[in-house]
């Protein structure tokens, strides 16, 4: 079921703020809108005959995270440890272009899909690009949105970023 | 001054002429890892794979054989299989419909009578097939059909593969499809970083160490490093306690007796009581067996073991592609399998707490050594050059040259590059005068 | 003339749904919002001196389709024929990033422009990207929007996707 | 402080119109929404250790423009001079994909951030892409928005477009 | 075993050394297609084109000549024309303003008296010009100014070009600008797929066949294949009925008598009653003349004929660029022209029901044959090797070696590759030992 | 016919073999510009730079020396510095933690006693260092540690560098970090376009001229062109009036006496009264000193002078990277510094009114001369070949061969390419038969 523009606007606003925090490498702030039961999955893209067959794995993953596991990253980027966070320091320039946000309201949650183009600029190297669809489950207490689940379906079978330590 | 056998020229690592020679003398001649038997469970199951730059199909044929077929029609070369995996009774070329059975034999040719000479003989047009052999569920293939068997190619090193994967009573299975990512470095740099180098644990991986993810231990461990003929090598970093009890930390305790029972004494000793055990089958199949202390799931038991394979495909002098398989004992509890799988994804996967730092490091080695001046220099593999090979360790005889130290030094790399030189017909100390890549 | 946000929101929603269907290779579902008189044109990009001169052909086309001609594609992707749809099977991963939607209401139709970035991921190959402006004519019966005309102005003179059997 | 959807919609509408004009190479029309005190800056991207450190220069710039200096470009593209505007004639195909618009209302102005993906198609060459964040200051007299300041933070340290005579 | 003349080494197709040799011995020596006369209707009209990798300007000079000028200033090399087409009275270099007339003569040099020596002679600095000749409105050019004329280059094959394009009383015109797309394959693979190969119609193009787009016929057709010296070839797939009536299906019937009248008997017979007629002028200009049964416009008459040219530019061993011109009779009805144009866009255009499958197929041949092992194999061109050349067909003498079969087999390819070998100085059965590309 | 010394083969400019030879014989042997002293103001300040394709660190060591260190660990090659600039007390390798002081000496090696042989000597593993020298704040380095000094390398040309930068009493500083952009052309084309060619001012830059940005003058200027041994060259376009007064237009008038006083008479005469003065230090450091009439800020004084350096890094035969430094007198007014900086960004920066046209032009030269036929042609450098070298100019003796003309012709280019040939061991008139790039 589609939803009132008001909810969609709030979702878009939340996504934009989220993207800002991710692109500022501020995972700690980002974690604020993540639900305690949060689960993040990036299934392995698998090309199968037949355009209607699922084109992502049901058993293999390129990334699987929870709020607790992301908390390890947050620590990694904390002042005490950031000097040894070699993949993230110096930082890669990332930017999340979020478009095609679609919100469907279910009984007790929102199903939201969106397209994300991630740009990736490492030091002097040429930019790299990753495209994906996000399938999110959000909770809405009427005041605040929280992110319960995210499944990111990549459009490439092989990761060609310099690494994949990034939330899509 | 370091010995010439302890250094390797930077130009040798990255030269285009070396890359071309590697394809010819190493990858077209050696036994290459293709996949795990569990990936193609039934007759007709297939997966698309690469042998260096050549695309192949690994298929369990309808007649029950493992086949590795060049993924290209014998007629005019069209790609036969264009998906990652599936099940089939035959391979039909989309161009003119030539159809092959799962053993690679040409069966159907549309218009055979009308369009082709009578002398046309289907038997002369089968798909090119590699020779296939397996060890402990690992499928290897080679184009060198008249060369040594896989067992001869591995030689003494089979001992360690049996030790690692022969522990379980019912074997292992690959969980999910292989993870894949590209790396901006030469395959050798990636292979020796992952499969051989341990000295970077406290520096490059200082962060996950301090986060309590891996390596917490009260006692100082000992690294046993074994360098085998053929360029293969393995190391086990273990706690040597007097008790002699065989523990397999990270695995459910009910497995422990069975693990020991499935191995001979030396093998059991080698794979028991390890913090980590890793190595590399020449040229590019690395493996690791370890347990994590914590990877972010508080509901997980404190120690979960994990085993993976890591193949580094050569793509270009400064580019390679990593394939990662996660293996679990077939009969393990589904929940445990999931814990083990997730722990690896979160550490040694491309999104993990270890691998991104290794990727950053290995890419940086490529970046700074691509140019004309930097290439005219060496890399140093001198650590451990002073160690003496041991006849036996704690009463066990282990194959290969065996060293013990507080860390695994650079002995495996020296063995790897010696074999690499041998196959390319190079003397120690030579350097490529060829064009940079 | 610009329009009330309500209409624009409906257009955006329709575009997002459209993109989903296209990217799921579900041309049959996509055809549902296409008018019987639908015409789709991709004029050939032609570089001419003078930045104000038209930079796309008025006589040559890279694609010209109608509802009936697209119906042939739909058949091509039907279970009976999909095995021989070699260009689309196994499927290429596409994603339509739709932005900059501008709606102008005319007497009896809507003129809508939008920017589209199409990402194209074929099996193990590197991603490819195509950028274009869409100039659409939509009909609005107050309840439902239908797509009457689409003109896609490509930003590249030479197609570098692996093929062009795709609706922009 | 976040703002009512109405203001955000107006900003998005203004941005879309702006993008159209820029991509039509109509700098003269674009200048219409630029404030007399307009200042445009593209600071030099500088990679520094520490992901929290500023990653753009405070003293060096890749572009610095005012309304008067852009007026020189407008003259350059005027009929009398356009034949000698070799970098812009024949025109490069550009497209501004504007997403993630975030509006914060201050006392007497709006602070607006947005993401821009610029696509760049020069004659027969392969497309090039540039990604950036824009940090704008807009004035709003309730009827019309004007652009007072723009700071474009590029995501690449080295310009790889064929040139940079373009407003991000 | 296939004869060496029936196979070609895969490494020969894709080797970098062959690509370089092709540029030198084939593209810098042969007659290359540049465009259609109708594209530059007036004095001063020009279009930007490529001769292999060299950019040229095709211009109808103010003096009325067709000129093909290297698109680079004689002074320091700046590109003179930077747009696809236009009309001009001269070419002025943006760098230092040297100005050339439309015949390529240097006319203006700013600062000539002040800055250049007196000995500076403008006549020594004209633009490099290719030799230009035409046949039936097709403009060809060559850098080989002292070599054979276009007529000699085409030889007997001119017969077929006249047959196809000489039918109409008022000639043909190109509709719209050329469509362009890149293809991830070698130019030879693309050329022989489109301009020569017919055996894939029922397999690769099974889908449009079953959709009723092309090829519906009650009677089994016969393919007449003609292989001419110089590597040129053509085939006509036709319904041979006893009646001898000359039908040109897909063209308005009022044209039919005129079409026959404009040709000699054998030519008329050859181009009449065809489902499709296609071929290739060595090296890379293919053409097709066919009619579609249905391409999605129910208001169109059931059969609409269409004619196109397809040039495949070599870019790299695994990359080429396709240019497609749609030709219609100048005096055809505008509505008919549009039908014909749209039918081609929807089938053989890059968005059509045929071309994407061909692109997928030819790219796949490149992908799987790029690597070291696959390249050490052959492609087979054996189909039709058993056919005997015919002295005459249905009473008509046709130039070249002529074969009849239920389908056009691989004879044209054999002729094409024989010429290709001849120009590169290769024997049948050789194989490139050069580096893969 | 032009003399062979007045032309250069297009294949010579772009051939891959020439690019390789340039890296070896020019960039690995010559003195290369690294940066300006003001960029690393304090001990420990560093910036990351390139010497052609080799990454280096320019650091002011804690002991106060300027050091140029190869940015690659002596152990196994990891990149040491991965940011553009900063301040540090040491360089620590992320891989195994080897730590170097700012003079490049290896200080710390984790596990030194346990893991390395006793014979391991840190002194044998210092970072590779280039030889460093400076002139007027410009830092140069060379890998050719046994070759000529910087002063010998520059020879007579030092005169001009002192003239330009020795004017100010307190020296110059770089404003902001260098601007960087890539250009789709060969480095030589970019260098000679910016640092040597003046004949394109009225044509390629017609537009800014007509917009009143630069070059407005009542009197016809005279260009003094000076070609020095070693491939260096400079030109000053000036108004020669009888008065002999030394004006430095664009600089605040209070500076003028001091500028004159800091130089000897000939130097002062050379840098005074110029519309523009530009040149190139072989191989790739160009500079310009000019004043703009208007760049879009009505609050700016009518004339603002500006000085910049422009380094063109060779990346590939058809790709280079431009680095631009803006210099201002250290003691200038901050507002004036800003005016000067902004005027350059708006003209010769990548977003300016001049540079984009130059980029378009130089890229177009690359595009049209990449292919096999176009490459078999020459570029002409004949302008000014008729001028006679002058013993003195207006009573001043200037180093090098000196020419006067109404514009700076192509003399500097001839000198540049003569030196280029000399270093590559080529005769005039040779041409590369190597592969195109
Ligand atoms: S190429 Fe496979 S059937 Fe012809
Ligand atoms: S390069 Fe054309 S005029 Fe100088
Ligand atoms: S590579 Fe630098 S310490 Fe080992
Ligand atoms: Fe590691
Ligand atoms: Fe076909
Ligand atoms: Fe210039």
């Amino acid at each position: 079921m589609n939803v009132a523009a008001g909810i969609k606007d709030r979702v878009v606003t939340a996504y934009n703020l989220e993207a800002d925090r991710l692109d500022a490498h501020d995972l700690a702030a980002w974690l604020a809108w993540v639900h305690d039961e949060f689960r993040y999955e990036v299934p392995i893209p698998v090309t199968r005959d037949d355009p209607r067959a699922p084109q992502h794995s049901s058993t293999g993953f390129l990334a699987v995270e929870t709020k607790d596991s992301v908390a390890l990253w947050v620590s990694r980027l904390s002042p005490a440890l950031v000097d040894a966070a070699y993949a993230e320091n110096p930082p890669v320039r990332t930017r999340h272009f979020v478009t095609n946000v679609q919100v469907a309201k279910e009984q007790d949650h929102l199903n939201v899909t969106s397209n994300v183009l991630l740009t990736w600029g490492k030091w002097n190297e040429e930019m790299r690009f990753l495209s994906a669809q996000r399938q999110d489950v959000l909770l809405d207490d009427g005041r605040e949105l929280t992110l319960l689940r995210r499944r990111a379906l990549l459009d490439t079978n092989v990761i060609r970023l310099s690494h994949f330590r990034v939330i899509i | 001054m370091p010995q010439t056998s302890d250094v390797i020229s930077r130009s040798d690592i990255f030269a285009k002429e070396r890359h071309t020679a590697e394809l010819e003398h190493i990858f077209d001649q050696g036994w290459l890892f293709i996949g795990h038997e569990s990936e193609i469970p039934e007759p007709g199951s297939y997966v698309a794979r690469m042998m260096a730059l050549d695309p192949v199909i690994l298929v369990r044929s309808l007649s029950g054989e493992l086949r590795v077929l060049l993924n290209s029609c014998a007629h005019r070369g069209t790609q036969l299989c264009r998906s990652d995996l599936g099940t089939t009774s035959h391979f039909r070329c989309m161009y003119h419909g030539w159809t092959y059975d799962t053993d690679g034999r040409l069966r159907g040719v549309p218009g055979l009578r009308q369009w082709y000479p009578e002398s046309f003989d289907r038997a002369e047009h089968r798909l090119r097939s590699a020779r296939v052999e397996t060890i402990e569920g690992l499928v290897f293939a080679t184009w060198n059909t008249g060369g040594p068997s896989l067992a001869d190619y591995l030689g003494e090193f089979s001992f360690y593969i049996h030790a690692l994967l022969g522990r379980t009573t019912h074997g292992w299975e690959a969980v999910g499809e292989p993870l894949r990512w590209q790396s901006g470095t030469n395959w050798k740099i990636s292979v020796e970083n992952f499969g051989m180098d341990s000295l970077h644990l406290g520096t490059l991986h200082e962060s996950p160490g301090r986060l309590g993810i891996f390596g917490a231990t009260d006692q100082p461990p000992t690294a046993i490093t074994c360098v085998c003929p053929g360029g293969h090598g393995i190391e086990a970093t273990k706690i040597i306690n007097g008790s002699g009890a065989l523990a397999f930390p990270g695995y459910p305790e009910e497995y422990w007796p069975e693990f020991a029972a499935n191995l001979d004494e030396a093998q059991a000793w080698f794979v028991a009581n390890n913090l980590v055990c890793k190595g590399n089958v020449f040229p590019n199949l690395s493996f690791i067996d370890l347990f994590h202390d914590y990877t972010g799931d508080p509901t997980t038991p404190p120690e979960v073991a994990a085993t993976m394979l890591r193949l580094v495909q050569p793509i270009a002098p400064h580019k390679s592609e990593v394939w990662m398989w996660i293996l679990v004992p077939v009969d393990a509890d589904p929940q445990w399998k999931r814990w083990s799988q997730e722990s690896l994804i979160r550490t040694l996967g491309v999104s993990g707490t270890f691998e991104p730092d290794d990727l950053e490091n290995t890419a940086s080695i490529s970046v700074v050594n691509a140019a004309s001046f930097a290439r005219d220099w060496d890399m140093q593999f001198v650590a451990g050059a002073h160690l003496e090979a041991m006849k036996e360790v704690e009463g066990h005889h282990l194959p290969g040259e065996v060293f013990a130290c507080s860390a695994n030094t650079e002995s495996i790399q020296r063995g790897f590059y010696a074999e690499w030189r041998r196959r390319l017909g190079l003397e120690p100390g030579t350097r490529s005068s060829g064009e940079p890549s």
Side-chain angles (χ1 to χ4, degrees), chain A, chain B:
Chain A
M1 186 198 116
N2 276 312
V3 293
I7 297 186
K8 189 182 152 189
D9 285 347
R10 289 174 53 223
V11 170
V12 168
T13 300
Y15 277 175
N16 289 343
L17 183 61
E18 169 184 43
D20 258 13
R21 287 169 168 170
L22 290 174
D23 294 336
H25 313 291
D26 192 355
L27 271 181
W30 175 77
L31 218 53
W33 94 300
V34 157
H35 191 274
D36 282 348
E37 307 290 305
F38 175 61
R39 189 165 170 86
Y40 172 75
E41 287 184 357
V42 184
I44 295 174
V46 176
T47 295
R48 292 191 177 87
D49 289 324
D50 189 354
R52 305 288 166 79
Q55 300 290 323
H56 293 83
S57 177
S58 56
T59 53
F61 302 94
L62 288 164
V64 187
E65 303 289 346
T66 64
K67 188 162 192 173
D68 290 305
S69 72
V70 177
L72 286 172
W73 302 20
V74 172
S75 305
R76 191 173 142 92
L77 295 175
S78 67
L81 288 174
V82 72
D83 279 354
Y86 298 106
E88 299 101 324
N89 179 12
V92 172
R93 300 178 193 279
T94 62
R95 198 151 307 286
H96 289 71
F97 291 85
V98 181
T99 72
N100 297 54
V101 177
Q102 296 186 94
V103 182
K105 188 164 169 49
E106 300 299 325
Q107 198 75 23
D108 57 353
H109 64 272
L110 303 175
N111 283 331
V112 187
T113 61
S114 54
N115 291 352
V116 177
L117 182 79
L118 177 75
T119 69
W120 183 272
K122 184 183 155 193
W123 202 11
N124 304 322
E125 296 182 6
E126 289 190 41
M127 300 289 301
R128 309 181 199 209
F129 302 89
L130 183 77
S131 123
Q133 187 187 42
R134 297 196 303 208
Q135 300 178 335
D136 288 356
V137 177
L138 302 190
L139 298 187
D140 178 14
D141 66 7
R143 206 173 37 84
E144 216 174 27
L145 293 161
T146 47
L147 180 62
L148 179 63
R149 274 207 295 282
R150 171 163 295 169
R151 213 171 126 79
L153 300 180
L154 305 190
D155 296 325
T156 179
N157 285 20
V158 185
I159 299 290
R160 286 183 175 86
L161 305 178
S162 45
H163 62 76
F164 198 51
R165 185 148 272 288
V166 63
I167 298 285
I168 298 296
Chain B
M1 285 292 295
Q3 305 272 308
T4 53
S5 58
D6 297 343
V7 302
I8 180 158
S9 154
R10 295 180 186 209
S11 63
D12 265 353
I13 305 274
F14 297 109
K16 199 164 181 345
E17 62 168 340
R18 295 285 184 262
H19 176 70
T20 304
E22 286 168 353
L23 293 175
E24 185 178 344
H25 298 296
I26 294 177
F27 292 97
D28 284 359
Q29 296 297 321
W31 281 95
L32 306 180
F33 180 69
I34 306 295
H36 192 268
E37 278 209 57
S38 64
E39 295 184 271
I40 41 167
E42 298 155 33
S45 300
Y46 68 88
V47 290
R49 291 293 143 90
M50 299 298 286
M51 287 174 71
L53 297 175
D54 284 296
V56 295
I57 306 169
L58 167 61
V59 59
R60 192 178 292 271
S61 82
L62 296 189
S63 61
E65 301 295 314
L66 294 174
R67 299 287 182 200
V68 171
L69 310 170
L70 187 67
N71 188 1
S72 178
C73 182
H75 178 213
R76 301 233 304 271
T78 290
Q79 199 174 28
L80 295 172
C81 161
R82 301 181 298 135
S83 56
D84 285 316
L85 51 82
T87 304
T88 193
S89 60
H90 63 274
F91 298 103
R92 181 165 175 277
C93 177
M94 65 177 157
Y95 202 172
H96 310 93
W98 287 21
T99 303
Y100 304 87
D101 67 21
T102 50
D103 290 304
R105 282 184 294 252
L106 177 60
R107 295 298 189 140
V109 175
L112 180 59
R113 306 254 155 108
Q114 295 168 278
W115 303 333
Y116 293 83
E118 259 183 71
S119 62
F120 183 90
D121 180 359
R122 276 171 290 183
E124 284 172 4
H125 300 279
R126 51 182 306 156
L127 295 179
R128 296 196 102 171
S129 299
R131 180 173 162 195
V132 184
E133 294 183 22
T134 70
I135 176 171
E136 295 286 356
L138 310 182
V139 183
F140 288 81
T142 185
W143 297 120
N144 183 10
T145 45
S149 68
L150 177 61
D152 287 347
Y153 181 85
L154 295 173
E156 294 182 333
F157 198 70
S158 301
F159 171 94
Y160 297 104
I161 297 177
H162 290 303
L164 270 170
L165 299 179
R167 283 180 283 181
T168 54
T169 307
H170 299 100
W172 300 74
E173 70 184 15
V175 191
E177 298 77 10
L179 292 78
R180 295 167 59 187
W181 58 92
Q182 291 199 348
S183 167
T185 198
N186 185 275
W187 69 275
K188 299 184 289 298
I189 298 291
S190 181
V191 158
E192 52 114 328
N193 165 244
F194 181 94
M196 309 178 203
D197 194 275
S198 298
L199 297 184
H200 70 279
L201 192 63
T203 44
L204 188 63
H205 300 309
E206 175 191 346
S207 155
R210 288 176 60 188
L211 289 169
I213 292 170
F214 171 78
T217 167
D218 300 332
Q219 298 168 261
T222 301
I224 308 298
T225 299
C226 312
V227 183
C228 290
H232 320 298
I234 191 170
E235 73 93 9
T237 300
K238 56 178 67 231
I239 305 300
I240 299 183
N241 50 25
S243 83
L246 296 178
F248 296 89
Y251 289 97
E253 281 201 43
E254 60 265 32
Y255 278 11
W256 296 10
E258 161 186 340
F259 274 22
N262 286 330
L263 301 175
D264 78 25
E265 218 175 295
Q267 286 175 322
W269 181 85
F270 186 77
V271 295
N273 301 310
N274 288 343
L275 290 177
V276 57
C277 172
K278 73 176 192 178
N280 187 66
V281 179
F282 191 88
N284 63 340
L285 178 67
S286 301
F287 52 84
I288 199 167
D289 173 54
L290 83 174
F291 67 90
H292 295 105
D293 298 310
Y294 179 65
T295 65
D297 186 347
T299 67
T300 310
E303 297 177 349
V304 175
T307 295
M308 65 173 270
L309 306 173
R310 187 179 189 269
L311 187 69
V312 184
Q313 300 281 11
I315 293 192
H318 292 276
K319 185 146 106 181
S320 50
E321 187 170 308
V322 180
W323 292 56
M324 168 179 175
W325 288 259
I326 298 171
L327 298 184
V328 293
V330 167
D331 56 4
D333 177 70
Q335 174 63 71
W336 189 91
K337 289 179 179 175
R338 178 53 82 108
W339 284 332
S340 183
Q341 176 190 20
E342 294 190 356
S343 74
L344 274 180
I345 295 171
R346 288 187 193 144
T347 50
L348 297 169
V350 64
S351 63
T353 38
F354 283 72
E355 178 70 8
D357 292 336
D358 284 309
L359 285 169
E360 175 65 20
N361 172 55
T362 52
S364 92
I365 296 173
S366 250
V367 161
V368 296
N369 287 293
S372 56
F373 184 75
R375 285 161 39 86
D376 179 33
W377 204 13
D378 292 321
M379 295 199 176
Q380 306 290 330
F381 294 95
V382 71
H386 57 301
L387 300 174
E388 302 234 350
M390 304 166 78
K391 280 244 159 5
E392 59 180 39
V393 191
E394 300 276 312
H396 301 288
H397 176 76
L398 298 172
E401 283 197 299
V402 179
F403 306 96
C405 186
S406 66
N408 166 47
T409 59
E410 292 170 330
S411 316
I412 305 181
Q413 283 103 317
R414 286 192 293 274
F416 171 85
Y417 280 114
E419 176 69 15
W420 178 85
R421 272 192 218 100
R422 197 182 66 73
R423 289 188 170 259
L424 262 53
L426 303 172
E427 295 299 316
T430 54
R431 98 184 21 250
S432 166
S433 58
E435 230 172 276
S437 46

